[in-house]
Amino acid sequence: MAENPVFISWKTTSLTINFTKNESGAICLFEILPLNHCHQKSASHLFASSELPLVSVRLSGEGNTNDKTAKSLVGGYLSSSADERAGISVTAHLSIYGDVPVIRSAVTIRNESKSSDVIVTQLSSLTIGGLTTRSNEWNKDYVLRTATNTWFREAQWRKHSLPYLGIDKNGICELHDGHSGSQATFGLQNRGSFSTGSYLPMGILESESNSDTWAWQVEHNGSWRWEIGDYKDSIYIAAGGPTKADHDWRHTLRPGDSFTSPPIALTRVSGCFQDAVRALNDYRRRIIRPHDDNKRLPIIFNDYMNCLMGDPDEDKIEALLDPVAQSGAEYFVIDAGWYADDSNWWDDVGLWEPSKKRFPSGFKTLMVKIKSKGLIPGLWLEPEVVGVRSVVGERLPEDAFFHENGQRVIERGRFQLDFRHPEVQAWMTKVVDRLVVHYGVGYFKFDYNIEVVQGTDAPGSSSAGANQLLHQRCYLDWVRSLLDKHQNLVIENCSSGAQRMDYAMLSVHSLQSTSDQQDPILYAAIAAALPTCVLPEQSASWAYPQPEWSDELNAFTVVNSLFGRVYLSGRLDRLSPSQMELIVEGMQAYKTIRPHLVTAHAIWPLGPPRWHDDWISLGLETSNGLYLAVWRRGGSTLKEISLPRLAGCGKVQVNVMYPKRLPTQAIWKEGDNILELKFPVTRCARVLHITS
């Protein structure tokens, strides 16, 4: 490699991105430098640089070309951006959003031949090597953070040493046999329609000195994969959508056809994981669809969680209307069950017509009553499925459903609709239009409660995995069309809670259901972690007070929701006046906080929350000071919280914002920049407002 290998240098107000060409002529991302950083010579005594081709492509029949195996995302046969041998061209689309230190990448592959099909089996969206070239002991100096995201236990981050993952210095490069690295890789992936059903599509590579951090996210509502590995005495990251090896993805390109991979966002900051999350959230604010809902942040009441639990009727809803209006909520959402005469509706959904048995006075009459209380009515809907007993299963064409080897895919008593089919989109558009225009619905909770892993067969030579990806893109196009038509409509993204909590979905939907967790004590660990992966103004967490709960526990569940989108539920109709006052106080506190959420940045003074932590804390830095939520779930009643960012800010004032009537001792130790707290013996939570 030449002494100055850079042939393109892209300088923005936040990053410098340098490109080079390798010996085969492939374009490589040579380095990404944060603001005011200069090129730093590689610390390795074995390799002067560690670049990899920006794009890795595999076509049918191809394996690998380097030390990694064909299971990895690097080492494809593409030698330049135009591979004449294969008759393809590849274009990388790189985007920067103003002064946000994040680069977004997607790749388009095109069949340039005149007569031959090309079958693509792997297409990475972004690859960059040399992430740790500043360190000769990168195996000790850097750690990887990943997050599990399972049902009832979402967004739980873990920290791994690289040797623990098998990524280590193992002596192979010192043999001088031409090896560029080991065969070791570590990655996460998802297969199927629950894009975040096991893991968040994210990763964070962080120096132990907290001075150099990389973070990334995959933006796809289906199958994906990212990996890290060693290459030329450094670490690389490669990421993209589905592959043949992992997801049965093979995309056939006819002459002139093209395919574009799912986007990947990548940041590098001179700081810790909190600084990387800050950059990603600034970027997320740039890519979401503009909607008034994400500015107003109205309070939503939903009748499901620890309330009606999918069994609504006219009397139950009417009993809730006055308490919900009194609470300060602005939407009233009727969740599951409104379309069924009994509770045995799971495998009979699909027609989406209100039950006359549950609502004998008429469903439209109930909608009018909801509006008369100053509330906007909303409904739960599961638009992608049809129950096996539903008449809709016979009304739509056979190819409107997912198939495997000629048989309809059945998952948990449901058929999966294929949104590539125009009659599917037409049918569901008719359903939504009727509910909006005739009944006055202004909000939908779009849920999805099955996971289809096999994709769908279809005529032609593309695979089931490729067809599933196209369906997922068509589904999002359909949601966009609804929002274009009904511009005041709010659509929530839900999938058994947060099993599709990705930024393909969240770039379109206004807000995200974050969990189905029914225990407020456990929910705290979820609520505190959510700003790592979802913007506060999109993050809807449940608050579900109960008449049999203590004031401390009811305040606890309210605090869970205050640093995102309040998703109120619970038995408001059975609360005592004193209990109701506590809930109203929480909603008033939220209305004070919410104007500042749209620009807030999260900090974790006690570190990222762990599932069984006794004390958890989440702060939101805003132009109106620091809002700090603190949960005590056990352990000592005393806690010191270090807030070094307040050093030198002058006189610091600490005010208990919620709940004001419950005992709290908060003392600011100015010389040490420490907040000293004393909480009650019982499990409890507080929101503090700290200004200077």
Side-chain angles (χ1 to χ4, degrees):
M1 181 67 66
E3 188 171 328
N4 183 13
V6 175
F7 85 105
I8 295 177
S9 186
W10 182 16
K11 295 185 178 181
T12 75
T13 56
S14 57
L15 292 173
T16 297
I17 303 154
N18 290 325
F19 299 86
T20 188
K21 286 186 178 181
N22 67 10
E23 57 275 7
S24 300
I27 296 175
C28 306
L29 254 176
F30 181 64
E31 60 188 354
I32 297 177
L33 301 173
L35 186 65
N36 299 324
H37 276 240
C38 298
H39 169 70
Q40 188 170 346
K41 185 179 179 180
S42 173
S44 172
H45 65 278
L46 299 172
F47 302 98
S49 60
S50 306
E51 69 280 346
L52 278 163
L54 174 60
V55 178
S56 180
V57 177
R58 286 199 182 95
L59 305 182
S60 184
E62 293 182 345
N64 216 341
T65 61
N66 67 12
D67 291 307
K68 304 299 179 186
T69 73
K71 292 187 294 185
S72 75
L73 293 178
V74 299
Y77 279 78
L78 181 69
S79 60
S80 67
S81 60
D83 193 323
E84 296 180 0
R85 172 186 57 82
I88 60 173
S89 65
V90 177
T91 304
H93 309 275
L94 304 176
S95 304
I96 292 286
Y97 295 79
D99 58 355
V100 179
V102 175
I103 184 170
R104 190 189 208 196
S105 179
V107 172
T108 297
I109 183 170
R110 180 179 297 277
N111 183 356
E112 302 288 0
S113 72
K114 303 297 184 182
S115 58
S116 301
D117 291 352
V118 172
I119 300 177
V120 187
T121 61
Q122 179 179 303
L123 179 65
S124 65
S125 297
L126 177 68
T127 303
I128 177 172
L131 272 61
T132 59
T133 53
R134 64 164 58 184
S135 170
N136 189 42
E137 294 191 320
W138 48 263
N139 54 327
K140 300 177 182 178
D141 293 343
Y142 283 79
V143 295
L144 180 71
R145 294 182 187 265
T146 64
T148 60
N149 195 72
T150 53
W151 194 32
F152 278 63
R153 192 182 182 275
E154 290 80 1
Q156 297 304 294
W157 287 85
R158 311 164 295 173
K159 186 163 73 170
H160 320 270
S161 73
L162 296 181
Y164 176 80
L165 300 174
I167 311 295
D168 207 347
K169 289 176 176 279
N170 64 6
I172 193 169
C173 293
E174 283 82 355
L175 296 177
H176 304 293
D177 290 339
H179 294 290
S180 57
S182 73
Q183 293 185 0
T185 64
F186 173 83
L188 295 181
Q189 64 152 309
N190 171 71
R191 177 170 181 167
S193 52
F194 277 2
S195 59
T196 59
S198 297
Y199 304 100
L200 292 179
M202 297 178 62
I204 298 176
L205 184 69
E206 180 182 24
S207 67
E208 290 279 39
S209 63
N210 292 327
S211 61
D212 185 33
T213 302
W214 300 78
W216 55 90
Q217 68 178 26
V218 183
E219 298 168 13
H220 181 47
N221 54 330
S223 300
W224 53 265
R225 178 177 169 182
W226 65 257
E227 73 179 33
I228 63 168
D230 65 297
Y231 181 74
K232 290 189 175 180
D233 209 14
S234 188
I235 294 295
Y236 72 84
I237 167 71
T243 69
K244 174 181 178 292
D246 296 307
H247 314 101
D248 189 28
W249 181 86
R250 299 181 308 281
H251 191 94
T252 300
L253 295 176
R254 309 295 185 193
D257 284 354
S258 65
F259 170 80
T260 299
S261 65
I264 307 297
L266 174 72
T267 185
R268 185 187 187 186
V269 297
S270 299
C272 65
F273 87 97
Q274 291 184 158
D275 302 304
V277 169
R278 180 188 184 102
L280 284 177
N281 278 337
D282 284 340
Y283 160 78
R284 290 162 180 157
R285 287 182 169 122
R286 301 296 183 96
I287 66 168
I288 60 175
R289 179 187 175 101
H291 198 293
D292 188 54
D293 176 70
N294 293 127
K295 299 175 184 177
R296 296 187 299 113
L297 312 189
I299 295 172
I300 301 144
F301 178 86
N302 179 299
D303 70 14
Y304 185 82
M305 191 60 72
N306 291 345
C307 188
L308 302 187
M309 300 298 288
D311 189 27
D313 64 30
E314 187 174 297
D315 292 339
K316 294 175 184 177
I317 297 295
E318 290 185 359
L320 283 162
L321 288 181
D322 284 336
V324 169
Q326 180 188 350
S327 74
E330 291 142 296
Y331 282 79
F332 191 111
V333 179
I334 302 174
D335 208 278
W338 56 270
Y339 39 78
D341 287 345
D342 55 40
S343 60
N344 188 29
W345 51 259
W346 175 265
D347 58 358
D348 192 32
V349 296
L351 199 56
W352 308 117
E353 293 180 351
S355 166
K356 295 179 180 179
K357 182 177 180 181
R358 289 181 184 269
F359 308 104
S361 300
F363 198 61
K364 189 170 184 178
T365 300
L366 182 61
M367 297 293 104
V368 171
K369 286 184 179 179
I370 292 173
K371 290 181 181 180
S372 73
K373 302 297 182 179
L375 301 164
I376 298 174
L379 290 177
W380 179 94
L381 199 66
E382 202 167 355
E384 296 165 80
V385 302
V386 170
V388 295
R389 293 191 297 116
S390 173
V391 296
V392 178
E394 301 300 323
R395 292 182 182 179
L396 291 174
E398 188 61 29
D399 56 354
F401 301 90
F402 271 34
H403 284 77
E404 183 178 29
N405 297 321
Q407 301 296 318
R408 279 195 197 182
V409 172
I410 300 176
E411 182 68 26
R412 299 182 63 203
R414 272 100 174 271
F415 300 128
Q416 168 74 53
L417 288 172
D418 189 340
F419 269 75
R420 296 176 302 159
H421 200 292
E423 290 195 40
V424 170
Q425 294 199 29
W427 163 249
M428 285 312 306
T429 298
K430 182 179 178 182
V431 168
V432 170
D433 287 350
R434 170 169 45 84
L435 294 172
V436 171
V437 175
H438 182 68
Y439 292 103
V441 172
Y443 183 108
F444 283 108
K445 176 181 178 178
F446 277 2
D447 207 346
Y448 179 69
N449 292 297
I450 64 171
E451 181 171 25
V452 177
V453 299
Q454 61 266 61
T456 180
D457 298 336
S461 54
S462 287
S463 68
N467 293 329
Q468 186 169 33
L469 181 148
L470 295 176
H471 149 78
Q472 287 153 343
R473 289 181 170 176
C474 288
Y475 173 74
L476 284 176
D477 287 342
W478 174 72
V479 176
R480 290 186 188 97
S481 73
L482 297 179
L483 294 169
D484 288 341
K485 178 185 288 189
H486 307 289
Q487 296 188 7
N488 293 322
L489 183 65
V490 177
I491 302 180
E492 169 195 343
N493 177 39
C494 181
S495 184
S496 292
Q499 304 305 284
R500 289 196 298 187
M501 191 162 59
D502 62 76
Y503 264 87
M505 298 293 283
L506 282 168
S507 66
V508 178
H509 298 75
S510 294
L511 69 163
Q512 171 70 51
S513 175
T514 59
S515 185
D516 284 345
Q517 177 57 249
Q518 297 176 35
D519 183 338
I521 304 301
L522 294 175
Y523 211 130
I526 300 169
L530 287 170
T532 61
C533 53
V534 183
L535 290 170
E537 58 265 37
Q538 291 186 291
S539 173
S541 293
W542 292 101
Y544 30 61
Q546 302 296 317
E548 65 273 19
W549 288 358
S550 68
D551 282 354
E552 286 288 9
L553 190 53
N554 277 329
F556 196 109
T557 191
V558 169
V559 170
N560 287 344
S561 70
L562 293 183
F563 279 16
R565 298 296 299 273
V566 171
Y567 213 49
L568 186 60
S569 192
R571 297 314 307 240
L572 300 189
D573 54 329
R574 298 178 182 176
L575 298 183
S576 70
S578 176
Q579 289 174 319
M580 193 65 186
E581 287 176 7
L582 188 64
I583 307 310
V584 171
E585 180 193 346
M587 298 305 101
Q588 290 173 342
Y590 179 72
K591 290 179 179 180
T592 299
I593 296 170
R594 69 181 176 185
H596 309 288
L597 290 180
V598 296
T599 56
H601 292 104
I603 62 170
W604 290 268
L606 298 177
R610 294 175 297 181
W611 190 246
H612 295 291
D613 280 351
D614 287 333
W615 287 79
I616 293 172
S617 182
L618 167 64
L620 292 180
E621 295 178 330
T622 75
S623 59
N624 193 42
L626 174 67
Y627 293 98
L628 186 69
V630 183
W631 295 263
R632 180 189 167 274
R633 305 192 296 177
S636 172
T637 59
L638 301 174
K639 193 68 176 179
E640 289 188 342
I641 297 180
S642 177
L643 296 170
R645 294 178 186 238
L646 294 177
C649 290
K651 185 174 177 59
V652 173
Q653 292 185 326
V654 180
N655 295 299
V656 178
M657 190 171 190
Y658 179 79
K660 292 182 181 294
R661 77 187 196 198
L662 299 179
T664 309
Q665 182 176 305
I667 299 173
W668 178 251
K669 300 172 73 173
E670 187 168 345
D672 300 320
N673 300 309
I674 286 176
L675 177 64
E676 186 177 84
L677 297 175
K678 183 176 182 180
F679 278 10
V681 174
T682 187
R683 294 177 292 187
C684 54
R686 301 290 186 266
V687 172
L688 309 173
H689 186 206
I690 303 174
T691 56
S692 59

